[in-house]
Amino acid sequence: MLRLETPNFHSNASSPPLLYHPSMATTTFSPTILFLLNNSPRTPPNLTPRSLLTSSTSAFLSLSSRAHLAPTPLLLKPRFTSAPKSHSPITSLFTGIVEEMGRVDYLGPSETSGVEMRISAAAVLSGVNLGDSIAVNGTCLTVSDFTPSHFTIGLAPETLRRTNLGDLGPGDFVNLERALQPVSRMGGHFVQGHVDGTGEIVELRPEGDSLWVKVRTAPEILRLVVPKGFIAVDGTSLTVVGVYEEEGCFDFMLVAYTQQKVVIPLKKVGDKVNLEVDILGKYVEKILRSGFQNSDSIGSS
């Protein structure tokens, strides 16, 4: 971003009052806006957001072109300005690269009349703190207690309804991943840990040392699944190979290395897996749907 320095103007006594707002001295402009302001004879009418051009600033730009004003050229100096703070920061983000498989030791009532799960683990406990986020089978959950060998997370009713975690029991294995740090490598794709729903494994078929997995899921999830696109299955970042609309299914392939690191090969036909579709697909669908709705309303008015 570039900061617009306040120019010095010299006017004679008969000059009309200069309409200039003090806030312009610290107004931050994007490079695109600066280009338009410096190369357009007047301010484009569609480029007047409140923080950029007030009515007085528009008049100021108009007056500066009159003969009785001798403006000093605008001095554009690149400066680094602090980024605006987000009102809804992303507190947890994952990559879908599973760090280890943990083992469920307990799933049942908690002391607060809720439901909790205790998991034995090793790698994800390194540097863990209370309140940290850990993805369990792709579900972002909060650490409520931990020891050097275990951690405990609470399961809300919505989590139990939307995921496969309620189907687990002592001895079952789960995929584990700690939340992404700024210095972490982005090996998979952006996984929020917000499970969209579950799918059912309908086929497990070996090919060489790889494993084909076909999953059936609901239409509202399948419509956001595309060939060669990303999907998180039990928190594992995977590439979709094919989508079969008539069957309500999609499939993917696990290479030998991945089979040793995640829980999917331990499952059988009929078992459930957690699914999270690529967040970009959700935003694109919403934008397109909103655009069509707006077009319809404009056309009918």
Side-chain angles (χ1 to χ4, degrees), residues 201 203-204 211-215 250-254 264:
I201 297 176
E203 183 180 49
L204 295 167
L211 179 67
W212 283 99
V213 183
K214 180 179 281 189
V215 176
F250 68 93
D251 62 9
F252 54 88
M253 179 175 278
L254 298 176
I264 299 171

Side-chain angles (χ1 to χ4, degrees), residues 127-190:
V128 70
N129 294 292
L130 291 177
D132 282 357
S133 295
I134 295 179
V136 179
N137 273 2
T139 309
C140 179
L141 297 168
T142 302
V143 175
S144 59
D145 191 20
F146 67 92
T147 70
S149 60
H150 300 78
F151 70 94
T152 302
I153 40 95
L155 301 176
E158 175 66 6
T159 302
L160 293 171
R161 284 191 293 265
R162 193 172 286 270
T163 72
N164 62 7
L165 298 182
D167 299 332
L168 301 175
D172 287 338
F173 288 92
V174 290
N175 292 331
L176 301 176
E177 181 191 356
R178 289 169 292 184
L180 184 67
Q181 294 181 329
V183 296
S184 303
R185 290 187 177 184
M186 190 67 195
H189 72 284
F190 289 124

Side-chain angles (χ1 to χ4, degrees), residues 80-151:
F80 293 102
T81 57
S82 58
K85 295 183 178 179
S86 171
H87 294 290
S88 56
I90 297 176
T91 56
S92 298
L93 194 65
F94 306 91
T95 67
I97 304 300
V98 175
E99 294 187 82
E100 68 172 322
M101 288 188 287
R103 188 184 70 249
V104 177
D105 290 336
Y106 174 80
L107 174 62
S110 66
E111 295 179 355
T112 58
S113 301
V115 178
E116 68 179 16
M117 179 183 291
R118 187 171 64 249
I119 301 170
S120 63
V124 299
L125 292 174
S126 176
V128 70
N129 294 292
L130 291 177
D132 282 357
S133 295
I134 295 179
V136 179
N137 273 2
T139 309
C140 179
L141 297 168
T142 302
V143 175
S144 59
D145 191 20
F146 67 92
T147 70
S149 60
H150 300 78
F151 70 94

